[in-house]
């Protein structure tokens, strides 16, 4: 078994990221970026680890002044969840 050092762990992680990024279609990626950039509001939905990544992505979008809604965010009031209203991200400057 290989020794668990920072360099071996980092190398393993980067190998996996590089392998995954090779499967991304550049045209689809550019389309997604243009759609997000042009959108007046961005809604993000996810659960578990995907939801956590979505929240982090939403926070980055707020940094570039996008209005972001995280559906089912832990900061959503229970009455908003019950009636299905839009939920604003806790990082939204318009909250």
């Amino acid at each position: 078994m290989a020794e668990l050092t920072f360099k071996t762990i980092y190398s393993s992680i980067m190998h996996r990221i590089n392998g995954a990024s090779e499967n991304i279609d550049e045209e689809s990626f550019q389309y997604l970026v243009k759609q997000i950039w042009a959108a007046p509001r961005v809604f993000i939905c996810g659960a578990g680890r995907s939801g956590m990544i979505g929240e982090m992505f939403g926070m980055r979008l707020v940094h570039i002044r996008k209005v972001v809604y995280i559906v089912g965010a832990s900061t959503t009031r229970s009455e908003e969840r019950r009636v299905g209203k839009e939920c604003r991200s806790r990082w939204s400057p318009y909250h």
Side-chain angles (χ1 to χ4, degrees):
M1 183 160 97
E3 186 178 353
L4 294 178
T5 64
F6 172 78
K7 287 184 179 182
T8 58
I9 293 170
Y10 178 82
S11 177
S12 175
I13 291 169
M14 291 309 296
H15 177 72
R16 288 179 180 256
I17 290 172
N18 289 332
S21 65
E22 290 174 5
N23 295 325
I24 297 173
D25 176 52
E26 185 66 32
E27 188 176 321
S28 296
F29 176 75
Q30 290 300 324
Y31 177 77
L32 175 65
V33 170
K34 287 177 184 176
Q35 292 297 312
I36 290 172
W37 194 255
R41 292 174 299 282
V42 178
F43 293 83
I44 297 174
C45 180
R49 288 182 282 184
S50 297
M52 187 170 61
I53 296 300
E55 286 191 31
M56 289 188 280
F57 179 62
M59 182 172 31
R60 298 298 178 250
L61 291 175
V62 168
H63 291 164
I64 62 169
R65 297 285 203 212
K66 298 303 289 181
V67 177
V68 175
Y69 296 87
I70 308 280
V71 178
S74 58
T75 58
T76 305
R77 292 176 289 225
S78 61
E79 63 272 9
E80 287 179 335
R81 268 189 252 125
R82 189 175 62 249
V83 297
K85 290 184 179 176
E86 302 152 358
C87 327
R88 290 186 187 257
S89 162
R90 67 180 137 223
W91 303 290
S92 175
Y94 309 103
H95 192 213

